[in-house]
Amino acid sequence: MREIRIHGRGGQGAVTLAELVCHAAINEGKYAQSMPSFGPERRGAPVLAFLRISDEHIKIRAEVITPDVVVVLDPGLLNITDVTSGLKSGGTVLINTKKSIDEIRSKFGVESRLGVVNAVEIARETLGVPITNTTMIGALLKATKIVKKDSLIEPLKHRFGPIADKNIKAMNRAFDETTIEEV
Amino acid sequence: MREIRIHGRGGQGAVTLAELVCHAAINEGKYAQSMPSFGPERRGAPVLAFLRISDEHIKIRAEVITPDVVVVLDPGLLNITDVTSGLKSGGTVLINTKKSIDEIRSKFGVESRLGVVNAVEIARETLGVPITNTTMIGALLKATKIVKKDSLIEPLKHRFGPIADKNIKAMNRAFDETTIEEV
Amino acid sequence: MLSWKDLELGSIVTEPGNASAYKTGDWRSNKPIRDQSKCIKCGLCYIYCPDAAVELSKAGNYETNYFYCKGCGICANECPRGALTMIVEEE
Amino acid sequence: MLSWKDLELGSIVTEPGNASAYKTGDWRSNKPIRDQSKCIKCGLCYIYCPDAAVELSKAGNYETNYFYCKGCGICANECPRGALTMIVEEE
Amino acid sequence: MTRRFVTGDENFSPGHRACIGCGEALAMRQVVKALGDNIILVNATGCSEIIASALPTTSWKIPWIHTLFENTASIASGIESALKVVERKGKRKKAKVIAFAGDGGTSDIGLQALSGALERGHDLLYVCFDNEAYMNTGIQRSSSTPYGAWTTTAPSGKMSIGQKTWKKNMPAIAIAHDIPYMATACPSYPFDLMDKVKKAVSVDGPSYLHIYVVCPTGWRCKTNLTIRLGKLAVETGIFPLYEVEEGKYKMSVDPPELTPIKDYFKIQGRFKHLSDEVIEEIQKKVTGDYQRLKEKMEGL
Amino acid sequence: MTRRFVTGDENFSPGHRACIGCGEALAMRQVVKALGDNIILVNATGCSEIIASALPTTSWKIPWIHTLFENTASIASGIESALKVVERKGKRKKAKVIAFAGDGGTSDIGLQALSGALERGHDLLYVCFDNEAYMNTGIQRSSSTPYGAWTTTAPSGKMSIGQKTWKKNMPAIAIAHDIPYMATACPSYPFDLMDKVKKAVSVDGPSYLHIYVVCPTGWRCKTNLTIRLGKLAVETGIFPLYEVEEGKYKMSVDPPELTPIKDYFKIQGRFKHLSDEVIEEIQKKVTGDYQRLKEKMEGL
Amino acid sequence: MTKRVGLEGSFAVSEAVRMADVDVLSAYPITPQTHIVERLSEMVADGDLDAEFICVESEHSAMSACVGASAAGARVFTCTAGQGLELMHEVLYIPSSMRLPVVAVVANRALSSPLSVWGDHSDAMAVRDIGWVQIFAENVQQAYDLTLCAYRIAEDKDVLFPAMVHLDGFHLSHVIEPVILPDQRQVDDFIPEFEYPFALNPDKPVSMGCYGPPYIYTEAKKSQNVAFESSRKIVSKAWGEFEGIFERSYLPVESYRTEDADVILLVMGSFAETAMLAIDRMRKEGKKVGLARLRLWRPFPFDEIRKAVKGAKLLVVLDRCISFGYGGPVCSELRSAFYREKNRPDIVSFIGGLGGRDITIDQYEYMIKRGKEISENGSEEEFEMIGVRQ
Amino acid sequence: MTKRVGLEGSFAVSEAVRMADVDVLSAYPITPQTHIVERLSEMVADGDLDAEFICVESEHSAMSACVGASAAGARVFTCTAGQGLELMHEVLYIPSSMRLPVVAVVANRALSSPLSVWGDHSDAMAVRDIGWVQIFAENVQQAYDLTLCAYRIAEDKDVLFPAMVHLDGFHLSHVIEPVILPDQRQVDDFIPEFEYPFALNPDKPVSMGCYGPPYIYTEAKKSQNVAFESSRKIVSKAWGEFEGIFERSYLPVESYRTEDADVILLVMGSFAETAMLAIDRMRKEGKKVGLARLRLWRPFPFDEIRKAVKGAKLLVVLDRCISFGYGGPVCSELRSAFYREKNRPDIVSFIGGLGGRDITIDQYEYMIKRGKEISENGSEEEFEMIGVRQ
Ligand SMILES: Cc1ncc(C[n+]2csc(CCOP(=O)(O)OP(=O)(O)O)c2C)c(N)n1
Ligand SMILES: Cc1ncc(C[n+]2csc(CCOP(=O)(O)OP(=O)(O)O)c2C)c(N)n1
Ligand code: SF4
Ligand code: SF4
Ligand code: SF4
Ligand code: SF4
Ligand code: SF4
Ligand code: SF4
Ligand SMILES: [Mg+2]
Ligand SMILES: [Mg+2]
């Protein structure tokens, strides 16, 4: 089982990210589970979302505390939370940032496997708005291959209808543009 | 313990009769208990009230089913109910009626000890209204001496204030005018 | 005496208007008497009776149904012709 | 971490306004910058801020308290003099 | 004569256990006469319900349901919606849903359910029988009890004149919901009442009838005054008869001159403790309110 | 400038967790500024409560209580009565009791409690923050949601234009209770709002304030439009600012000409599905209602 | 100076409220509680009680107004029954978790449907989880005494929980019996003036009713339950003080002729005294039977009931409530309380007295006999219903 | 043709409601139930479900509208949580006593105060006496299946009682998991069109909800309880049919690795699967432990639970609810159910998971171990609370 935690802000679609990948995994025949952090957090407030993917029925139903992968939708969150908290050894952190891997490592002391991508720029250019959740799916897939990229197409279409294509494009671009540094 | 059942119609004050005698008994230092028939009966409908008087704390808290005394406030009730139902042997029936003892016995087959008084007439003349509950207390006291007549004065005053005197008069008159036939 | 098995599902009553067997005439202490000769068949006693105790006979007369009449005196009070009188119920 | 013994009777909070320690500035993605030279001290930014994040300094200037400012942009939008500009928060 | 305009059917059958001379029972009888057979009746707890439904008997010849005191309009909403779907799905044809409740069940404990039903626009008629107190439980005050009246929970006493608040204006509250039809009525005016019932059921959407019903037991008056007191309430202006159709006001009975309220007060025990000053205060309020109401009438 | 007329105290302290750009939080801030210190605040469940009271913290510097969603006016009634006796018995002096609730807590689930409190005449101020939906739970329709608006429980779709009912007229319902003071307000007009708050608390008896608050999250608009949209609501006549004192109506802002509602609609996501015809229908209703309201004004 | 007078149960309660000098009353009428609100209304109207009576529009608001008034530091009272207690169900959790000493009297009534204005314990049992002190009265004197005690208990600084006194609808509320009324000074000694430590007050602002994220909710409940459990001893203490002043004594569990009893019948509320008559009759016949009554229902008197039943072979429990698809709640909880005891009695369950049905002396006797049979031979049913027409 | 899709718990419930072709929906939003009403609203708005959605002004009205609609013969649905279930408390007695097959889904939520939108079982337990069929789901598939089953059960002519499906707030309502959706025809076979025998209808007038004097109330309750008890076997029958059609099976009590277990842990709802992980871990260490879950809570499955636990020495019960001043209701009722059994297990009580607090695998293991200790050495406390910060 792989456990993923997404950091975002209320309104940025962290939960949607988890859901989309969850659907993709289930459609592949896998077992998967996604959920928001349960609470009354408001637009703007830091929030979490969780995702588990497995080959068997998933019996645990609690927040992900020891993630294999952490996805950070908003670079500002790095200033205020330790996004690596509980990260399993060998785990990956994926960050939407315009900063380089080195800058992140030095500024925030991230020592794990690390991926960065300027998702804001991609989202702005592809979607017209700086909403980075579908974009960051690209980074996630690049870093983990947790599901096939194609598996996202149906969930994205179902979710976004007419603007699905743009989102697919954003995802693909992020997939291509994400830089990953193994450790 | 003596058990008394009062038959009346909603609005005729059967419950008040039971209460007044109950208070009188308690004020005499006795144990007593009074209660209405529990229900949503309306003005005009046949109703019951109950009274128990004893020298000890009364533990039973249920309707009186086997009365020692039955008081009937409205003669019309004789047509529609068997007022003697459950009467203990040696028990007494007291009826507000303009009929004579013999008429009652023959028309309604009452075989017990029986008392009659024209309480309507007394009430009309003393109180100005045909409300017979306080009047029938007179009959009750005459027939049973269950409490002293004087013991009623305070409860009647408390209950009726300015018109207490009239009620006392009505009670006294009924006491005097009640005819009782022993068996 | 009904047993618990006699009760309909959810204690529903399936016999419409079966309360009409209840004789509210037993409540009556005063009784309206109609003088048909004074009656102009205006029907006010009919429409004002809370207990639906005034009925129109086949002959076209309004008549009191003493099975139901509780003796409120409304009909007597409202009769425009004074055709109704309240008397004390016999013992 | 509060233990159950630390809770006040009925979980009442006895420290008025202690939520003010919570830094809602952390929520901000965009940041208002004030050009004091354009400012006419009308105070609209003050009275329109949902987060009470505009303060009047001793010197008589309106200033944004970034500890609380969530960056909604209302002040910038409503400033009659365009003295406020929203910029993207630095990473 | 009357019989020519009125059905002889008594779907609210006699044998009910209302008090002798009950104005509420009379109003129910008249309303039900005007409703016809294709209805479903929802009844709040209160006198109207308790007098006619002692298990295993019922006075009702039309489908009837009672559940609780405060949820009458919501039960009615559910039925109405059910009938809508059931008809749409071709299973059964619709009937008109009618709700019956007392003033307590309407202006106090059931107000919110009623407001919701009016707001949602259900096709139903809600009838409030206003006897100005909680009578079923023994004459406690409601928000519909008139100022100064004695009740068991607003008794007159050394420190109290009886009811201390002015009667809640339920018709005005109903109108504030912008419903297509609202009317006031009184069984002392049976034809007016029955006409309004018919108009109300013919409306598509929610309608509200506020019916003034005399309660000899609670008002402490003679049982034969039920009709007389209803007329006096109208003639004094204490309870004006009017209707509001699509926002337009119309007076149903407009006495050329209002009878003084003391004529109405003096034959009721519940007002007997009132001083002349208080009666005067109430008279002023009644006159003023009546005037303001008349100003709302169309074509005056 | 502003600061000269307004206290610098923030009894509703910053650090609260309202969404970015929340109009409700802004209105609360303005109201509390006008209230002063001698108050006790009762808060219904809803955004206003949840954003400011996560244990073990509070944003409140004045005494504050929250219990449930629907009973705000009743809790306030209890406090007010307690203060009355406690003062009478010489124990403590009275404070003014203020109730805060959303439109859902007011016009739906809390309506009955409110109606009771108004009827009984408690000395309290009830403030409704109307953001036209249940926002705390995620944008479900309330009876205060405007016709045509999208919400999660009145979504637009093949068979639906969104909200199918017209907005419940809470101010009219409050007025139907004959209370001494009722006013509408909007934090886009802060001085008008604060004046009304002060007037409302100075009244002896119940007063009601209905405050229009923009919710960028629920209305699907930009966070910096909160003030602009409030002004547009007033300028289009969608939310007229007025007050009713002892039955007398007064317009607070009366634009010489109403702005077309589409200017207001087009910057909100919740209306974006509406066809021109529906907008036209709504425009007619808005114009008509505004006209009818103006007719009630004194001295017009 | 005490005096002995005849009082209806409802009036006895009202007297207690008056003598407790309650500040705020808020109640909604419902049979069979009406006589209490009516009597209190009279007292206020006549100036005999200086209180605000809030005539609310529903029971939901009645309890809410009490909560508000209590939070503002007032001594409060409400009363209700059956449907009324149900309608305020959600609100009842508030004073218990916010620690507000609201006092309520419930004239127990059965629950709809069918509508019944008559007594049973369904309403009382429906609130057994909520964290109110619950006390059952068995006669009119107790209705008075226990209402007073409710204030003494609820307002104790080591309690500060709401308290509910149960008196059976009609059977106690509408019955007149002799009552000994104490002197006002005795009452004042027993329940001194009350000051709530955190009353809503601009001079010392507090926030009450903040919300509890998962981070803190469990802790809040733990502290609530520990405080509630430990108020059990205050109940006993208060009753001890009561006895000192008023010379009548109460215990969490009260026993009648149980000393050497093999079989103990357990009932609650107004049926208890009638049951004593059955015990007396059987004792006369030499049967070793006794009666136990739970005077205190919440907090549940674990130790006291275990002690009270010690030595008995069989406990026969009469519930006046049915948990549909399960059985009698009192019986169930008693069994659970005895489950891990070494020498536990057998416990057999009866249900009866629903919706105002009386239980006769014969029926009590039957239950004891039938209970023994069931104990010996078992039964097909989880419980047996008493007095139902077959 | 079945299909396997990812669905949030709330959406799974909505799918079941849609496929059951419900006529009338009436609900009031409350976290964590909101996603159900929202999804259903969308379905109606898009014409995917031909139903009337009554957007009521409160939960009290939500349940009332369902009662009305059901009495008129419609298939109905409502859903709520926590405070909402509390606010409709009085109304809940109506469909069970009037025999109306209302179906409700409750996204379990803790009760105020402090306000908590998070899950526990306090709301579910507060309605355990009321006579609704109560079923607990433990994963999203079950949320779908059991909602369908609720219609099958409630509308069975030998049941005609309302049914409530419990899914834990957030932990099931807000979690997306794979769900196998059946074909519409399978659903139609399983729940055929429904005709209520006494629907309100001018063609055949009936009176529903007449009042019940003492003369008849006990009989009404007896007949209600007998019918309710006997609907237990219909639940099993319905689940049997369900298995036949859908190939997934449910039982009133479900066991996991209990065959030779000395100690059985019992939990309800969404915590069950996590508890299995603890059992697995302990089994790996050779410990003879197993897990039991009450799928059916009402009518209480007496025989099934007795059978399921047969042979175990100890039953460790985790309640997600506290009856203040008493303990855990599930534990209490289980003890009562075993009280008169010959070979009964010891039963030890834990309470935890309140207001959204998770229980970890370690904590389950702790409970089993500590349960054994308590069973052997006893404990000062009537129950122990899990995961509370000291
Ligand atoms: C929740 C609840 N509270 C209180 C009652 C008691 N109750 C039943 S009817 C009634 C009064 C009814 O008054 P109203 O609605 O005016 O009708 P009326 O009897 O006067 O016709 C009351 C208080 C109840 N049944 N349910
Ligand atoms: C009895 C009950 N039902 C439902 C809820 C859920 N709930 C809490 S706040 C809320 C909506 C609040 O809406 P509104 O009053 O308009 O305030 P807003 O959040 O929009 O400011 C709802 C539905 C609840 N807490 N209690
Ligand atoms: S009211 Fe009089 S005149 Fe009219 S029909 Fe009746 S009896 Fe005849
Ligand atoms: S007296 Fe009353 S009940 Fe009898 S017929 Fe006349 S109106 Fe009807
Ligand atoms: S709104 Fe603009 S001009 Fe006015 S005080 Fe603020 S910054 Fe200055
Ligand atoms: S951006 Fe918004 S929060 Fe920040 S100071 Fe301006 S108005 Fe206040
Ligand atoms: S109390 Fe009044 S309303 Fe009720 S039945 Fe009697 S007369 Fe009619
Ligand atoms: S949802 Fe709307 S009202 Fe609630 S905090 Fe956010 S912006 Fe304010
Ligand atoms: Mg009434
Ligand atoms: Mg809102």
Side-chain angles (χ1 to χ4, degrees), chain A residues 111-155:
Chain A
E111 290 171 1
S112 67
R113 185 168 180 261
L114 178 64
V116 296
V117 60
N118 190 342
V120 169
E121 194 182 271
I122 298 176
R124 276 235 175 76
E125 290 175 15
T126 348
L127 308 171
V129 284
I131 295 173
T132 57
N133 57 347
T134 51
T135 314
M136 286 304 287
I137 293 175
L140 177 64
L141 299 192
K142 169 86 158 270
T144 64
K145 321 219 154 31
I146 205 159
V147 292
K148 295 194 209 78
K149 206 152 53 121
D150 281 358
S151 303
L152 261 305
I153 298 205
E154 194 268 309

Side-chain angles (χ1 to χ4, degrees), chain D residues 1-79:
Chain D
M1 300 284 271
L2 283 175
S3 121
W4 65 269
K5 291 166 204 140
D6 301 328
L7 285 169
E8 196 44 89
L9 184 86
S11 301
I12 291 168
V13 180
T14 53
E15 208 185 320
N18 61 352
S20 58
Y22 182 69
K23 187 179 175 190
T24 52
D26 282 346
W27 297 22
R28 195 174 54 243
S29 314
N30 298 287
K31 187 174 181 168
I33 303 293
R34 187 178 282 91
D35 179 346
Q36 291 289 3
S37 68
K38 292 196 189 156
C39 172
I40 54 161
K41 326 277 188 250
C42 69
L44 282 178
C45 53
Y46 168 83
I47 201 69
Y48 280 148
C49 176
D51 289 278
V54 180
E55 293 171 359
L56 191 60
S57 73
K58 292 230 176 73
N61 290 328
Y62 286 99
E63 282 170 10
T64 306
N65 181 341
Y66 294 112
F67 188 84
Y68 295 123
C69 168
K70 293 176 187 156
C72 63
I74 289 177
C75 52
N77 224 32
E78 298 305 325
C79 173

